[in-house]
Amino acid sequence: AREAQEDYIFALLTGYCDPPAGYDLKEGLHYNPYFLGGSIAMAQALYPGVYEYPDGTPASVSQMAKDVTEFLSWVSQPEMQTRNEMGIKFFMLMLIAIPACYWWKRHKWAPLKHQKIEFQQPKAATRDQTGSTTSLRFRRGAPKH
């Protein structure tokens, strides 16, 4: 429910330090400048060397905070795998549908693209069956210049 959720958790886990001079810190609270107000009841949870990585990665506070943050992000979105699979299926479908729609559009409208509509005045002032004195004529082929 915060902006930059992962960054906030990472900063909160790595931000413990001594309070500045003149800062009144109550008993049982710890100073963390990234927490609102600077006073937090949770003690520092991560210390260097607390955990030993199987691949030999140094267990720094920053590395462990990053791992905790990534894990919490992964756990908070259980539907992410399904959403990613749906996205891949959607794009694969679009790879087929977009060219097919483009081909259909070109095939459907190609005859009308080369049709010329001309307005012609009638030779005599006679009325046709609809009562109109003007007519439109459709002709196939490219327009003549």
Side-chain angles (χ1 to χ4, degrees), residues 2-80:
R2 293 182 182 265
E3 294 179 24
Q5 301 160 356
E6 291 89 4
D7 294 337
Y8 174 73
I9 298 292
F10 180 81
L12 191 64
L13 290 172
T14 59
Y16 288 94
C17 60
D18 294 329
Y23 186 83
D24 184 29
L25 191 62
K26 293 186 168 76
E27 184 69 32
L29 297 180
H30 306 279
Y31 181 73
N32 191 326
Y34 297 104
F35 189 72
L36 186 63
S39 298
I40 185 169
M42 181 178 83
Q44 182 174 355
L46 303 175
Y47 293 96
V50 172
Y51 181 76
E52 187 176 320
Y53 287 98
D55 63 353
T57 303
S60 65
V61 172
S62 177
Q63 180 65 44
M64 290 186 291
K66 181 181 183 312
D67 291 342
V68 168
T69 303
E70 290 296 322
F71 175 74
L72 290 175
S73 176
W74 177 73
V75 169
S76 69
Q77 299 177 8
E79 75 285 346
M80 181 182 275

